Amino acid sequence: MSKKSYRIAVIPGDGTGPEVVREGLKTLEAVSSKEGFKYETVNYDFGGDRYLKTGDILPDSAIEELKNFDAIYLGAIGHPQVKPGILEKGILLRLRFELDQYINLRPVVLYNRDFCPLKDKREEDVDFVVVRENTEGLYCGSGGFLRKGTEYEVSVQESINSYKGVERCIRYAFRCAQKKNKTKQLTLCGKTNVLTFAFDLWERTFHKVARDFPEIKTDYAHVDATCMWMVKNPEWFDVIVTDNMFGDIITDLGAMIQGGMGIAAGGNINPEGVSMFEPIGGSAPKYTGKNSINPLAAISALGMLLEEVGEASAARRVEEACRDVVKNKVKSLGAGRMGYSTSEVGDLVAKNIMDG
Ligand code: IPM
Ligand code: MN
């Protein structure tokens, strides 16, 4: 049994964030008592409400404070009364960048074939992980306007790809393929036929790093083809590595083939620092306060958090509990259609863990 104790920063955030985080923390309580580790949580109220009330988004001091935690657990960022971009860039992206969480790890796993929109696909057919670069690419904010607001306006938005940034991401993805018990295959997803600078660097680096992992099969697919194969033959994928923008896009498609946003979790990982875990679906303002949103994505994210801090057995319990609830309990993964409320789904997961 683990004797460890963890400090976890919790940022419930906007919209349904607080509702799903509550269920994640319920799960944490259950699994910690089962596994015998201790934890302490500290709440941070960053998000739209705080911004509208006080004008501050994310104080510099908070970044320093957050570096002292073992992990960060995040609900959702995005508020209907705040112009798009302010909170996303000011909180979510800033944390990813300043904490150098250079990996965005997004498993695409189907727990119940009834919830897969693809015809004739079984659970074992949808089981791969996307390793998305998380600190560079089009997300850097490099670019600007010229003659803004005139007919001669020019806007430039550049994709920044550094050798170091690409290399560390690809290396992480190879390690991921090593650990994952499937076909030991890593697919680079790019666009080498058009983005002949950015993905030239990616491709050369991919082949260079591959020499350190002779047991891993390498593969390449353009991003458009990747989307096609994800729908037609998702079973072909084991681990996919890609840049920030493509990773953002293909993981929304990934979320759909695993049953929807209600189940899709992700980790913003700094393997040498503090990592942050979140459901990838956003704040879902329409469902806020209704106790109807699906908390399983947030609960799965909590499972990923436990894996990252070293509680592998606890992580497995959380994953198995989620799998059981998806397989045997809920009627749908969509908000309001689960046959249970948000808190009831959290109760089912907690009970499954306690009985296990
Ligand atoms: C995600 C989200 C974010 C992203 C937004 C909210 C900035 O879509 O985590 O996938 O683009 O990375
Ligand atoms: Mn996204």
Side-chain angles (χ1 to χ4, degrees), residues 102-114:
Y102 60 88
I103 299 297
N104 197 327
L105 189 67
R106 297 188 163 182
V108 179
V109 188
L110 178 65
Y111 289 144
N112 182 342
R113 68 185 72 184
D114 295 346

Side-chain angles (χ1 to χ4, degrees), residues 10-27 73-76 261-262 278-284 287 289 291-302 335 338 342-343 346:
V10 180
I11 309 175
D14 299 318
T16 51
E19 292 167 62
V20 296
V21 156
R22 200 174 304 130
E23 303 316 310
L25 294 176
K26 190 186 279 176
T27 307
Y73 187 43
L74 174 77
M261 282 301 179
E278 53 173 340
I280 76 174
S283 59
Y287 298 107
N291 198 23
S292 72
I293 194 86
N294 187 344
L296 287 165
I299 296 173
S300 292
L302 192 270
M338 300 183 290
T342 305
S343 47

Side-chain angles (χ1 to χ4, degrees), residues 64 97 105 112 160 185 191 248 302-303 316:
E64 287 314 306
F97 292 168
L105 189 67
N112 182 342
I160 306 292
Q185 173 189 297
K191 190 73 188 173
D248 177 48
L302 192 270
R316 213 168 315 117

